[in-house]
Amino acid sequence: MNGAVVMESKTNKKAFWGALAAGLLALGILLVSFGVSGVAYAVPIAGVGDFYVEFDKLEGEGYKFYPKLGETSSSDAAPQGTNIIEKLTIDNLQLYKDFQVGGEWIRVKIQASKPVQISGLQHDAGLIEANAKFQNLALAENNSTDWTKQFQQTSSTIILENAKLKTHYLFQETINMAGMKLTVEKIDKK
């Protein structure tokens, strides 16, 4: 081959799944807060289409991520990732959903002006964009015929900053959302 070097590129699984998991987790927390003020218990949100969650910072303990196929408003089986976090705090949480009503678009938005405290979070997301930090990060592959059990990521802590998540399902055992504000407004959708 005349001294040519052939290189094969691979996707860094650790970085990819870490970023995906962190985003999914943040989105889940925001969806749970939808329509909730004060403290809510065992609140699932699913089946109403894509929700978006944005926040400045999420700090969590006891993090776990695994891939899955899950239901969305437009598909019975869309690729997603499940994020599970035991305890977390989110700063500047914003959750929103856009709806077409007649010929106009409206946005239902929930914001929290104070840090949001959540325990027992499960979040399924299709997209996470964030700056992520993990402590004691472990990536594990398992020999299984079930593809959803072939890969898992865990860490003792997770920090997501400047995050935006597209989520499909959110469940929280408890959420404390002081300073909650709910708005409904017309938007220009392009």
CSV table of all heavy atoms in Angstrom, one decimal, residues 17 20-29 58 60-68 81-88 118-125 128 134 152-158 160 169-173:
chain,number,residue,atom,x,y,z
A,17,TRP,N,-23.1,9.1,24.9
A,17,TRP,CA,-24.2,8.7,25.8
A,17,TRP,C,-24.2,9.6,27.0
A,17,TRP,O,-25.3,9.8,27.6
A,17,TRP,CB,-24.0,7.2,26.2
A,17,TRP,CG,-24.3,6.3,25.0
A,17,TRP,CD1,-23.5,5.5,24.3
A,17,TRP,CD2,-25.6,6.1,24.4
A,17,TRP,NE1,-24.1,4.8,23.3
A,17,TRP,CE2,-25.4,5.2,23.3
A,17,TRP,CE3,-26.9,6.6,24.6
A,17,TRP,CZ2,-26.5,4.8,22.5
A,17,TRP,CZ3,-27.9,6.2,23.7
A,17,TRP,CH2,-27.7,5.3,22.7
A,20,LEU,N,-26.1,12.7,25.9
A,20,LEU,CA,-27.5,12.3,25.7
A,20,LEU,C,-28.2,12.1,27.0
A,20,LEU,O,-29.3,12.6,27.2
A,20,LEU,CB,-27.6,11.0,24.8
A,20,LEU,CG,-29.0,10.5,24.5
A,20,LEU,CD1,-29.8,11.6,23.7
A,20,LEU,CD2,-28.9,9.2,23.8
A,21,ALA,N,-27.6,11.4,27.9
A,21,ALA,CA,-28.3,11.1,29.2
A,21,ALA,C,-28.5,12.4,30.0
A,21,ALA,O,-29.6,12.5,30.6
A,21,ALA,CB,-27.4,10.1,30.0
A,22,ALA,N,-27.5,13.2,30.1
A,22,ALA,CA,-27.7,14.5,30.8
A,22,ALA,C,-28.8,15.3,30.3
A,22,ALA,O,-29.6,15.8,31.1
A,22,ALA,CB,-26.4,15.2,30.8
A,23,GLY,N,-28.9,15.4,29.0
A,23,GLY,CA,-30.0,16.2,28.4
A,23,GLY,C,-31.4,15.6,28.7
A,23,GLY,O,-32.3,16.3,29.0
A,24,LEU,N,-31.4,14.3,28.6
A,24,LEU,CA,-32.7,13.6,28.8
A,24,LEU,C,-33.2,13.8,30.3
A,24,LEU,O,-34.4,14.0,30.5
A,24,LEU,CB,-32.6,12.1,28.5
A,24,LEU,CG,-32.4,11.8,27.1
A,24,LEU,CD1,-32.2,10.3,26.9
A,24,LEU,CD2,-33.6,12.3,26.2
A,25,LEU,N,-32.3,13.8,31.2
A,25,LEU,CA,-32.6,13.9,32.6
A,25,LEU,C,-33.2,15.3,32.8
A,25,LEU,O,-34.2,15.4,33.5
A,25,LEU,CB,-31.4,13.7,33.4
A,25,LEU,CG,-31.6,14.0,34.9
A,25,LEU,CD1,-32.7,13.0,35.5
A,25,LEU,CD2,-30.3,13.7,35.7
A,26,ALA,N,-32.5,16.3,32.3
A,26,ALA,CA,-33.0,17.7,32.5
A,26,ALA,C,-34.4,17.9,32.0
A,26,ALA,O,-35.2,18.6,32.6
A,26,ALA,CB,-32.0,18.7,31.9
A,27,LEU,N,-34.6,17.4,30.8
A,27,LEU,CA,-35.9,17.5,30.1
A,27,LEU,C,-37.0,16.9,31.0
A,27,LEU,O,-38.1,17.4,31.1
A,27,LEU,CB,-35.9,16.9,28.7
A,27,LEU,CG,-37.2,17.0,28.0
A,27,LEU,CD1,-37.7,18.5,27.8
A,27,LEU,CD2,-37.1,16.4,26.6
A,28,GLY,N,-36.7,15.7,31.5
A,28,GLY,CA,-37.7,15.0,32.3
A,28,GLY,C,-38.1,15.8,33.5
A,28,GLY,O,-39.3,15.8,33.9
A,29,ILE,N,-37.2,16.4,34.2
A,29,ILE,CA,-37.5,17.2,35.4
A,29,ILE,C,-38.4,18.4,35.0
A,29,ILE,O,-39.4,18.7,35.7
A,29,ILE,CB,-36.2,17.8,36.0
A,29,ILE,CG1,-35.4,16.6,36.5
A,29,ILE,CG2,-36.5,18.8,37.1
A,29,ILE,CD1,-34.0,17.0,36.9
A,58,LEU,N,-28.2,21.9,36.2
A,58,LEU,CA,-28.8,20.8,36.9
A,58,LEU,C,-27.7,20.1,37.6
A,58,LEU,O,-26.6,19.8,37.0
A,58,LEU,CB,-29.4,19.8,35.9
A,58,LEU,CG,-30.0,18.5,36.4
A,58,LEU,CD1,-31.1,18.0,35.6
A,58,LEU,CD2,-29.0,17.4,36.6
A,60,GLY,N,-27.2,16.7,40.0
A,60,GLY,CA,-27.9,15.5,40.5
A,60,GLY,C,-27.0,14.4,41.1
A,60,GLY,O,-25.8,14.4,40.8
A,61,GLU,N,-27.6,13.5,41.8
A,61,GLU,CA,-26.9,12.4,42.5
A,61,GLU,C,-27.5,11.1,42.1
A,61,GLU,O,-28.8,11.1,42.0
A,61,GLU,CB,-26.9,12.6,44.0
A,61,GLU,CG,-26.2,13.8,44.5
A,61,GLU,CD,-26.4,13.9,46.0
A,61,GLU,OE1,-26.9,13.0,46.7
A,61,GLU,OE2,-26.0,15.0,46.5
A,62,GLY,N,-26.7,10.1,41.9
A,62,GLY,CA,-27.3,8.8,41.5
A,62,GLY,C,-27.9,8.7,40.1
A,62,GLY,O,-29.1,8.6,40.0
A,63,TYR,N,-27.0,8.8,39.1
A,63,TYR,CA,-27.4,8.9,37.7
A,63,TYR,C,-27.3,7.6,37.0
A,63,TYR,O,-26.2,6.9,37.2
A,63,TYR,CB,-26.6,10.0,37.0
A,63,TYR,CG,-26.9,10.0,35.6
A,63,TYR,CD1,-28.0,10.6,35.1
A,63,TYR,CD2,-25.9,9.6,34.7
A,63,TYR,CE1,-28.3,10.6,33.7
A,63,TYR,CE2,-26.1,9.6,33.3
A,63,TYR,CZ,-27.3,10.1,32.8
A,63,TYR,OH,-27.5,10.2,31.5
A,64,LYS,N,-28.2,7.2,36.2
A,64,LYS,CA,-28.2,6.0,35.3
A,64,LYS,C,-28.8,6.3,34.0
A,64,LYS,O,-29.9,7.0,33.9
A,64,LYS,CB,-29.0,4.9,36.0
A,64,LYS,CG,-29.0,3.6,35.3
A,64,LYS,CD,-29.7,2.5,36.1
A,64,LYS,CE,-29.7,1.2,35.5
A,64,LYS,NZ,-30.4,0.2,36.3
A,65,PHE,N,-28.2,5.8,32.9
A,65,PHE,CA,-28.8,6.0,31.6
A,65,PHE,C,-28.7,4.7,30.8
A,65,PHE,O,-27.8,3.9,30.9
A,65,PHE,CB,-27.9,7.0,30.8
A,65,PHE,CG,-28.2,7.1,29.3
A,65,PHE,CD1,-29.3,7.8,28.8
A,65,PHE,CD2,-27.5,6.3,28.4
A,65,PHE,CE1,-29.6,7.8,27.5
A,65,PHE,CE2,-27.8,6.3,27.1
A,65,PHE,CZ,-28.9,7.1,26.6
A,66,TYR,N,-29.8,4.4,30.0
A,66,TYR,CA,-29.8,3.3,29.0
A,66,TYR,C,-30.6,3.7,27.8
A,66,TYR,O,-31.6,4.4,27.9
A,66,TYR,CB,-30.2,2.0,29.7
A,66,TYR,CG,-31.6,2.1,30.3
A,66,TYR,CD1,-32.8,1.8,29.6
A,66,TYR,CD2,-31.8,2.4,31.7
A,66,TYR,CE1,-34.0,1.8,30.2
A,66,TYR,CE2,-33.0,2.5,32.2
A,66,TYR,CZ,-34.1,2.2,31.5
A,66,TYR,OH,-35.4,2.2,32.1
A,67,PRO,N,-30.3,3.1,26.6
A,67,PRO,CA,-31.1,3.4,25.4
A,67,PRO,C,-32.4,2.6,25.4
A,67,PRO,O,-32.5,1.6,26.1
A,67,PRO,CB,-30.2,2.9,24.3
A,67,PRO,CG,-29.3,1.9,24.9
A,67,PRO,CD,-29.1,2.3,26.4
A,68,LYS,N,-33.4,3.1,24.7
A,68,LYS,CA,-34.6,2.4,24.5
A,68,LYS,C,-35.4,2.8,23.3
A,68,LYS,O,-35.0,3.8,22.7
A,68,LYS,CB,-35.5,2.6,25.8
A,68,LYS,CG,-36.0,4.0,25.9
A,68,LYS,CD,-37.0,4.2,27.0
A,68,LYS,CE,-38.4,3.8,26.6
A,68,LYS,NZ,-39.4,4.1,27.6
A,81,GLY,N,-33.5,7.7,25.0
A,81,GLY,CA,-32.7,7.3,26.1
A,81,GLY,C,-33.4,7.6,27.4
A,81,GLY,O,-34.1,8.6,27.5
A,82,THR,N,-33.3,6.7,28.3
A,82,THR,CA,-33.9,6.8,29.6
A,82,THR,C,-32.8,7.3,30.6
A,82,THR,O,-31.8,6.7,30.7
A,82,THR,CB,-34.5,5.5,30.1
A,82,THR,OG1,-35.6,5.2,29.3
A,82,THR,CG2,-35.0,5.7,31.6
A,83,ASN,N,-33.1,8.4,31.3
A,83,ASN,CA,-32.3,9.0,32.3
A,83,ASN,C,-33.0,8.8,33.7
A,83,ASN,O,-34.1,9.2,33.8
A,83,ASN,CB,-32.0,10.5,32.1
A,83,ASN,CG,-31.3,10.7,30.8
A,83,ASN,OD1,-30.1,10.5,30.8
A,83,ASN,ND2,-31.9,11.1,29.8
A,84,ILE,N,-32.3,8.3,34.6
A,84,ILE,CA,-32.8,8.1,36.0
A,84,ILE,C,-31.8,8.9,36.9
A,84,ILE,O,-30.6,8.6,36.9
A,84,ILE,CB,-32.9,6.7,36.4
A,84,ILE,CG1,-33.9,6.0,35.4
A,84,ILE,CG2,-33.3,6.5,37.8
A,84,ILE,CD1,-34.0,4.5,35.6
A,85,ILE,N,-32.4,9.7,37.8
A,85,ILE,CA,-31.6,10.5,38.8
A,85,ILE,C,-32.3,10.4,40.1
A,85,ILE,O,-33.5,10.7,40.2
A,85,ILE,CB,-31.4,11.9,38.4
A,85,ILE,CG1,-30.7,12.0,37.0
A,85,ILE,CG2,-30.5,12.7,39.4
A,85,ILE,CD1,-30.5,13.4,36.5
A,86,GLU,N,-31.6,10.0,41.2
A,86,GLU,CA,-32.2,9.9,42.5
A,86,GLU,C,-32.6,11.2,43.1
A,86,GLU,O,-33.7,11.3,43.6
A,86,GLU,CB,-31.2,9.2,43.4
A,86,GLU,CG,-30.9,7.7,43.0
A,86,GLU,CD,-29.9,7.1,43.9
A,86,GLU,OE1,-29.5,7.6,44.9
A,86,GLU,OE2,-29.4,6.0,43.5
A,87,LYS,N,-31.7,12.2,43.1
A,87,LYS,CA,-32.0,13.5,43.7
A,87,LYS,C,-31.3,14.6,42.8
A,87,LYS,O,-30.2,14.4,42.3
A,87,LYS,CB,-31.3,13.7,45.1
A,87,LYS,CG,-31.9,12.8,46.1
A,87,LYS,CD,-31.4,13.1,47.5
A,87,LYS,CE,-30.1,13.8,47.6
A,87,LYS,NZ,-29.6,14.0,49.0
A,88,LEU,N,-32.0,15.7,42.5
A,88,LEU,CA,-31.4,16.8,41.7
A,88,LEU,C,-32.0,18.1,42.1
A,88,LEU,O,-33.1,18.2,42.6
A,88,LEU,CB,-31.6,16.5,40.3
A,88,LEU,CG,-33.0,16.3,39.7
A,88,LEU,CD1,-33.2,17.1,38.5
A,88,LEU,CD2,-33.2,14.8,39.5
A,118,ILE,N,-36.0,18.0,43.0
A,118,ILE,CA,-36.7,16.8,42.5
A,118,ILE,C,-36.1,15.5,43.1
A,118,ILE,O,-34.9,15.5,43.3
A,118,ILE,CB,-36.7,16.7,41.0
A,118,ILE,CG1,-37.3,17.9,40.4
A,118,ILE,CG2,-37.3,15.4,40.5
A,118,ILE,CD1,-37.2,18.0,38.9
A,119,SER,N,-36.9,14.5,43.4
A,119,SER,CA,-36.4,13.2,43.8
A,119,SER,C,-37.1,12.1,43.0
A,119,SER,O,-38.2,12.3,42.6
A,119,SER,CB,-36.6,12.9,45.3
A,119,SER,OG,-37.9,12.8,45.6
A,120,GLY,N,-36.4,11.1,42.6
A,120,GLY,CA,-37.0,10.0,41.9
A,120,GLY,C,-37.3,10.3,40.5
A,120,GLY,O,-38.4,10.0,40.0
A,121,LEU,N,-36.4,10.9,39.7
A,121,LEU,CA,-36.7,11.3,38.3
A,121,LEU,C,-36.4,10.2,37.3
A,121,LEU,O,-35.4,9.5,37.4
A,121,LEU,CB,-35.8,12.5,38.0
A,121,LEU,CG,-35.9,12.9,36.5
A,121,LEU,CD1,-37.2,13.6,36.2
A,121,LEU,CD2,-34.7,13.8,36.2
A,122,GLN,N,-37.4,10.0,36.4
A,122,GLN,CA,-37.2,9.2,35.2
A,122,GLN,C,-37.6,10.0,34.0
A,122,GLN,O,-38.7,10.5,34.0
A,122,GLN,CB,-38.0,7.9,35.3
A,122,GLN,CG,-37.8,7.1,34.0
A,122,GLN,CD,-38.6,5.8,34.0
A,122,GLN,OE1,-39.0,5.2,35.0
A,122,GLN,NE2,-38.8,5.2,32.8
A,123,HIS,N,-36.7,10.1,33.1
A,123,HIS,CA,-36.9,11.0,31.9
A,123,HIS,C,-36.5,10.3,30.6
A,123,HIS,O,-35.4,9.7,30.6
A,123,HIS,CB,-36.1,12.2,32.1
A,123,HIS,CG,-36.0,13.1,31.0
A,123,HIS,ND1,-34.9,13.2,30.2
A,123,HIS,CD2,-36.8,14.0,30.5
A,123,HIS,CE1,-35.0,14.0,29.2
A,123,HIS,NE2,-36.2,14.5,29.4
A,124,ASP,N,-37.4,10.2,29.6
A,124,ASP,CA,-37.1,9.7,28.3
A,124,ASP,C,-36.9,10.8,27.3
A,124,ASP,O,-37.9,11.7,27.2
A,124,ASP,CB,-38.2,8.7,27.8
A,124,ASP,CG,-38.3,7.5,28.7
A,124,ASP,OD1,-37.3,7.2,29.5
A,124,ASP,OD2,-39.3,6.8,28.5
A,125,ALA,N,-35.8,10.9,26.6
A,125,ALA,CA,-35.6,12.0,25.7
A,125,ALA,C,-35.0,11.5,24.4
A,125,ALA,O,-34.4,10.5,24.3
A,125,ALA,CB,-34.6,13.0,26.3
A,128,ILE,N,-30.6,15.8,23.7
A,128,ILE,CA,-30.0,16.6,24.8
A,128,ILE,C,-28.9,17.4,24.3
A,128,ILE,O,-27.9,16.8,23.8
A,128,ILE,CB,-29.6,15.7,26.0
A,128,ILE,CG1,-30.7,14.9,26.6
A,128,ILE,CG2,-28.9,16.5,27.1
A,128,ILE,CD1,-30.3,13.8,27.5
A,134,PHE,N,-19.5,14.6,34.8
A,134,PHE,CA,-19.9,13.4,35.5
A,134,PHE,C,-18.7,13.1,36.6
A,134,PHE,O,-17.6,13.4,36.3
A,134,PHE,CB,-20.0,12.2,34.6
A,134,PHE,CG,-21.1,12.4,33.6
A,134,PHE,CD1,-20.7,12.9,32.3
A,134,PHE,CD2,-22.4,12.0,33.8
A,134,PHE,CE1,-21.7,13.0,31.3
A,134,PHE,CE2,-23.3,12.2,32.8
A,134,PHE,CZ,-23.0,12.7,31.6
A,152,GLN,N,-25.1,0.5,29.2
A,152,GLN,CA,-25.6,1.3,30.4
A,152,GLN,C,-24.5,2.2,30.9
A,152,GLN,O,-23.3,1.9,30.8
A,152,GLN,CB,-25.9,0.3,31.5
A,152,GLN,CG,-26.4,1.0,32.8
A,152,GLN,CD,-26.8,0.0,33.8
A,152,GLN,OE1,-27.5,-1.0,33.6
A,152,GLN,NE2,-26.4,0.2,35.0
A,153,GLN,N,-24.9,3.4,31.3
A,153,GLN,CA,-24.0,4.4,31.8
A,153,GLN,C,-24.5,4.8,33.2
A,153,GLN,O,-25.7,5.0,33.4
A,153,GLN,CB,-24.0,5.6,30.9
A,153,GLN,CG,-23.2,6.8,31.5
A,153,GLN,CD,-23.2,8.0,30.5
A,153,GLN,OE1,-23.1,7.8,29.3
A,153,GLN,NE2,-23.3,9.2,31.1
A,154,THR,N,-23.5,4.9,34.2
A,154,THR,CA,-23.9,5.3,35.5
A,154,THR,C,-22.8,6.3,36.0
A,154,THR,O,-21.7,6.3,35.5
A,154,THR,CB,-23.9,4.2,36.5
A,154,THR,OG1,-22.6,3.5,36.6
A,154,THR,CG2,-25.0,3.1,36.1
A,155,SER,N,-23.2,7.2,36.9
A,155,SER,CA,-22.2,8.1,37.6
A,155,SER,C,-22.8,8.5,39.0
A,155,SER,O,-24.0,8.5,39.1
A,155,SER,CB,-21.9,9.3,36.8
A,155,SER,OG,-23.1,10.1,36.7
A,156,SER,N,-21.9,8.8,39.9
A,156,SER,CA,-22.4,9.2,41.2
A,156,SER,C,-23.0,10.6,41.2
A,156,SER,O,-23.9,10.8,41.9
A,156,SER,CB,-21.2,9.1,42.2
A,156,SER,OG,-20.2,9.9,41.9
A,157,THR,N,-22.5,11.5,40.3
A,157,THR,CA,-23.0,12.8,40.2
A,157,THR,C,-23.1,13.2,38.7
A,157,THR,O,-22.3,12.7,37.9
A,157,THR,CB,-22.2,13.9,41.0
A,157,THR,OG1,-20.9,14.0,40.4
A,157,THR,CG2,-22.1,13.5,42.4
A,158,ILE,N,-24.0,14.1,38.4
A,158,ILE,CA,-24.1,14.6,37.1
A,158,ILE,C,-24.4,16.1,37.2
A,158,ILE,O,-25.2,16.6,38.1
A,158,ILE,CB,-25.2,14.0,36.3
A,158,ILE,CG1,-25.3,14.5,34.8
A,158,ILE,CG2,-26.6,14.0,37.0
A,158,ILE,CD1,-26.3,13.8,33.9
A,160,LEU,N,-25.3,19.3,34.5
A,160,LEU,CA,-25.6,19.8,33.1
A,160,LEU,C,-25.8,21.3,33.2
A,160,LEU,O,-26.5,21.8,34.0
A,160,LEU,CB,-26.9,19.2,32.6
A,160,LEU,CG,-27.0,17.7,32.5
A,160,LEU,CD1,-28.3,17.2,32.0
A,160,LEU,CD2,-25.9,17.2,31.5
A,169,TYR,N,-41.3,11.6,27.9
A,169,TYR,CA,-41.9,11.1,29.1
A,169,TYR,C,-41.1,11.6,30.3
A,169,TYR,O,-39.9,11.7,30.2
A,169,TYR,CB,-41.8,9.5,29.1
A,169,TYR,CG,-42.3,8.9,30.3
A,169,TYR,CD1,-43.7,8.7,30.6
A,169,TYR,CD2,-41.5,8.5,31.3
A,169,TYR,CE1,-44.2,8.1,31.7
A,169,TYR,CE2,-41.9,7.9,32.5
A,169,TYR,CZ,-43.3,7.7,32.7
A,169,TYR,OH,-43.7,7.2,33.9
A,170,LEU,N,-41.9,11.9,31.3
A,170,LEU,CA,-41.2,12.4,32.6
A,170,LEU,C,-42.0,11.9,33.8
A,170,LEU,O,-43.2,11.9,33.8
A,170,LEU,CB,-41.2,13.9,32.6
A,170,LEU,CG,-40.6,14.5,33.8
A,170,LEU,CD1,-39.2,14.2,34.0
A,170,LEU,CD2,-40.8,16.0,33.7
A,171,PHE,N,-41.3,11.3,34.7
A,171,PHE,CA,-41.9,10.9,36.0
A,171,PHE,C,-41.0,11.3,37.1
A,171,PHE,O,-39.8,11.2,37.1
A,171,PHE,CB,-42.1,9.4,36.0
A,171,PHE,CG,-42.6,8.9,37.4
A,171,PHE,CD1,-43.9,8.8,37.6
A,171,PHE,CD2,-41.7,8.5,38.4
A,171,PHE,CE1,-44.4,8.4,38.9
A,171,PHE,CE2,-42.1,8.0,39.6
A,171,PHE,CZ,-43.5,8.0,39.8
A,172,GLN,N,-41.6,11.9,38.2
A,172,GLN,CA,-40.9,12.3,39.4
A,172,GLN,C,-41.7,11.8,40.6
A,172,GLN,O,-42.9,12.0,40.7
A,172,GLN,CB,-40.7,13.8,39.4
A,172,GLN,CG,-39.9,14.3,38.2
A,172,GLN,CD,-40.2,15.7,37.9
A,172,GLN,OE1,-41.1,16.4,38.4
A,172,GLN,NE2,-39.4,16.3,37.0
A,173,GLU,N,-40.9,11.3,41.6
A,173,GLU,CA,-41.6,10.9,42.8
A,173,GLU,C,-42.1,12.2,43.6
A,173,GLU,O,-43.2,12.2,44.0
A,173,GLU,CB,-40.7,10.1,43.7
A,173,GLU,CG,-40.4,8.7,43.2
A,173,GLU,CD,-39.4,7.9,44.0
A,173,GLU,OE1,-39.1,8.4,45.1
A,173,GLU,OE2,-39.1,6.8,43.5
